[in-house]
């Protein structure tokens, strides 16, 4: 429809009359069906039997603590999805991480209850040109490379701004030459994963 014309959502009053997490009830979000929830639960059960850890990829945000402005980008039935993850954690096989997109500014939250990290990747639509005269003052992002091992998940990259939810508290780990006249500084966020194999086959 015509209302989906621009990144600014055409200034259409989607959120009129909606407060808090009720802001998720808009047409550019969505829900997991009962069949999808059952499939996810079955996949997690199978992973537990094989002593595998799981990484989940979901375009929509699953945890409300990663959602900006009350929940504009949150899965409609996020409680049901979290319930599936919580039951897996209670059985001794918590999901290692959930990676999402959708919310262009990114986000990050670690749920201590489940031991699961909820990571929202920033959109390249927010990228700004690097000032060639002052490259050290530019974040040159967003971009990221995710490195997975038995011990941890390392996210190497940078945010679009210094206020990046994913990288603002991350270590300035290394510099590399981006071009002949500019330096690109990468940051590293490391999140712990208990030793086990990782199964990255669960997509929502």
């Amino acid at each position: 429809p015509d209302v989906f014309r621009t990144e600014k959502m055409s200034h259409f009053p989607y959120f009129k009359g909606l407060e808090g997490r009720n802001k998720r009830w808009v047409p550019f979000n969505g829900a997991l069906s009962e069949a999808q929830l059952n499939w996810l639960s079955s996949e997690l059960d199978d992973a537990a039997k094989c002593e595998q850890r799981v990484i989940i990829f979901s375009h929509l945000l699953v945890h409300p603590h990663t959602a900006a402005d009350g929940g504009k980008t949150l899965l409609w039935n996020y409680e049901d999805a979290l319930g599936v993850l919580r039951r897996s954690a209670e059985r001794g096989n918590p999901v290692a991480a959930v990676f999402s997109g959708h919310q262009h500014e990114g986000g990050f939250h670690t749920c201590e209850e489940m031991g699961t990290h909820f990571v929202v990747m920033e959109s390249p639509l927010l990228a700004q040109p690097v000032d060639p005269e002052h490259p050290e003052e530019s974040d040159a992002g967003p971009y990221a490379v995710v490195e997975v091992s038995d011990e941890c998940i390392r996210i190497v990259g940078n945010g679009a701004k210094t206020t990046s939810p994913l990288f603002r508290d991350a270590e300035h780990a290394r510099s590399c030459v981006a071009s002949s006249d500019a330096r690109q500084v990468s940051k590293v966020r490391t999140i712990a994963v208990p030793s086990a194999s990782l199964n990255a086959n669960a997509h929502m």
Side-chain angles (χ1 to χ4, degrees):
D2 291 341
V3 294
F4 292 103
R5 285 193 300 271
T6 71
E7 171 64 13
K8 297 295 185 181
M9 296 180 286
S10 303
H11 303 288
F12 191 81
Y14 291 110
F15 306 105
K16 185 177 181 180
L18 299 177
E19 298 293 336
R21 292 176 189 172
N22 281 332
K23 290 181 178 180
R24 71 187 188 277
W25 301 110
V26 290
F28 50 82
N29 293 330
L32 294 177
S33 68
E34 183 177 356
Q36 288 173 309
L37 290 166
N38 289 339
W39 170 83
L40 177 60
S41 181
S42 176
E43 288 288 304
L44 293 177
D45 286 345
D46 289 346
K49 293 173 185 176
C50 297
E51 298 184 346
Q52 294 177 323
R53 299 301 306 281
V54 177
I55 295 175
I56 293 175
F57 298 90
S58 168
H59 181 74
L60 289 170
L61 277 63
V62 177
H63 201 291
H65 289 175
T66 59
D69 198 12
K72 288 182 176 181
T73 50
L74 197 57
L75 189 72
W76 287 343
N77 58 339
Y78 73 90
E79 299 103 325
D80 296 332
L82 288 177
V84 173
L85 272 59
R86 191 173 291 112
R87 286 190 291 275
S88 183
E90 290 170 353
R91 291 193 292 265
N93 193 46
V95 169
V98 178
F99 281 82
S100 300
H102 195 47
Q103 180 170 275
H104 293 179
E105 295 79 6
F108 184 83
H109 173 69
T110 297
C111 178
E112 300 295 340
E113 175 193 4
M114 292 186 284
T116 300
H117 306 283
F118 293 83
V119 181
V120 184
M121 306 303 290
E122 293 176 62
S123 170
L125 291 171
L126 301 182
Q128 298 292 325
V130 174
D131 182 350
E133 295 183 6
H134 303 283
E136 72 284 353
E137 298 177 5
S138 303
D139 277 333
Y143 65 92
V145 174
V146 180
E147 303 171 353
V148 179
S149 69
D150 285 347
E151 292 78 27
C152 68
I153 300 171
R154 298 176 73 246
I155 306 171
V156 183
N158 216 331
K161 300 179 179 179
T162 56
T163 55
S164 162
L166 186 56
F167 289 112
R168 64 185 170 209
D169 299 321
E171 171 192 358
H172 282 265
R174 66 175 184 239
S175 300
C176 59
V177 176
S179 66
S180 60
D181 59 353
R183 293 174 63 247
Q184 178 173 303
V185 177
S186 293
K187 302 174 184 177
V188 176
R189 177 182 282 277
T190 302
I191 51 183
V193 176
S195 293
S197 298
L198 277 165
N199 171 10
N201 294 324
H203 299 263
M204 296 197 296

